[in-house]
Amino acid sequence: MTIDEAFGAVLKELRASKGITQEQLGFDADLDRTFISLLERGLRQPSLASIFQLSKALGVSPSHIVQRVEDTLSAASKR
Amino acid sequence: MTIDEAFGAVLKELRASKGITQEQLGFDADLDRTFISLLERGLRQPSLASIFQLSKALGVSPSHIVQRVEDTLSAASKR
DNA sequence: GTGTAGACTCACGTCGACG
DNA sequence: ACGTCGACGTGAGTCTACA
């Protein structure tokens, strides 16, 4: 489990819980739709600025997202 | 106050409180010394992976660093 | 609505060297 | 011990287009 994959899983989960599409998230976060797709599948990693933009669009704090990435990683390492 | 500048300030502060040099931090985080210099002065922004590497070298959690960046930004916006 | 591809610009991150 | 410069390879992020 890489950092990128963990972030992608968290992003996908947060977006689903908000009930919006990748297109809407891309619009709200001012990021390209295809880039959101790459992020969710762990093929790209976000910069710090992108994390802040996404968190704002998702209505959560940036540190909360990072916290969940940490949790996802530690949970995966215990398998 | 940009995100990059806020991160740089936090990084510099955390490194100073640990009492180590940029060189040592670069070695511990497996990042180039010149890049640490750029980060601390807000001329570059880190990727998510870099944040994790730096936080590990500094002995704090990644989410804690991000949290402090948020605090620094909100404190600066109230001036 | 999403995955994928190509092509593109610019920023990340490394390296060697000098003040 | 740090700032800075130039150069370099790779990756972030955009855009158009098709399944």
Side-chain angles (χ1 to χ4, degrees), chain B residues 15 21-23 33-34 37 41 45:
Chain B
R15 178 177 66 84
T21 68
Q22 290 182 351
E23 259 175 336
R33 176 189 74 81
T34 62
S37 174
R41 284 176 307 132
Q45 70 165 326

Side-chain angles (χ1 to χ4, degrees), chain B residues 1-2 21 24 29 37 58 70 78:
Chain B
M1 175 71 123
T2 67
T21 68
Q24 287 174 316
S37 174
L58 290 168
E70 295 174 37
K78 286 178 181 170

Side-chain angles (χ1 to χ4, degrees), chain B:
Chain B
M1 175 71 123
T2 67
I3 293 180
D4 309 33
E5 290 167 348
F7 179 85
V10 170
L11 179 60
K12 191 167 190 171
E13 196 178 335
L14 286 174
R15 178 177 66 84
S17 73
K18 243 220 153 191
I20 62 176
T21 68
Q22 290 182 351
E23 259 175 336
Q24 287 174 316
L25 177 57
F27 181 79
D28 293 343
D30 207 32
L31 289 171
D32 198 83
R33 176 189 74 81
T34 62
F35 185 53
I36 306 283
S37 174
L38 291 170
L39 285 179
E40 286 193 357
R41 284 176 307 132
L43 300 180
R44 291 288 166 85
Q45 70 165 326
S47 66
L48 182 60
S50 298
I51 296 173
F52 271 71
Q53 291 174 23
L54 288 168
S55 69
K56 189 170 186 178
L58 290 168
V60 299
S61 72
S63 57
H64 176 253
I65 293 188
V66 176
Q67 177 67 56
R68 294 199 48 175
V69 172
E70 295 174 37
D71 295 345
T72 303
L73 280 175
S74 70
S77 69
K78 286 178 181 170
R79 312 200 154 246

Side-chain angles (χ1 to χ4, degrees), chain A residues 1-17 25 36-44 46 58 65 68-73 76, chain B residues 48:
Chain A
M1 175 71 122
T2 67
I3 293 182
D4 309 35
E5 290 167 348
F7 179 85
V10 170
L11 180 61
K12 191 168 190 171
E13 196 177 335
L14 287 174
R15 179 177 65 83
S17 73
L25 177 57
I36 306 284
S37 173
L38 291 170
L39 285 179
E40 287 194 357
R41 283 176 307 132
L43 301 180
R44 293 287 165 86
L58 289 168
I65 294 189
R68 295 201 45 176
V69 173
E70 296 174 36
D71 295 345
T72 303
L73 280 174
Chain B
L48 182 60

Side-chain angles (χ1 to χ4, degrees), chain A residues 19-66:
Chain A
I20 62 176
T21 68
Q22 289 183 352
E23 259 174 337
Q24 286 173 316
L25 177 57
F27 180 80
D28 294 343
D30 206 33
L31 289 172
D32 198 82
R33 175 190 76 77
T34 62
F35 185 53
I36 306 284
S37 173
L38 291 170
L39 285 179
E40 287 194 357
R41 283 176 307 132
L43 301 180
R44 293 287 165 86
Q45 68 166 330
S47 66
L48 182 61
S50 299
I51 295 174
F52 271 70
Q53 292 174 21
L54 287 168
S55 70
K56 189 170 185 178
L58 289 168
V60 299
S61 72
S63 56
H64 176 253
I65 294 189
V66 177

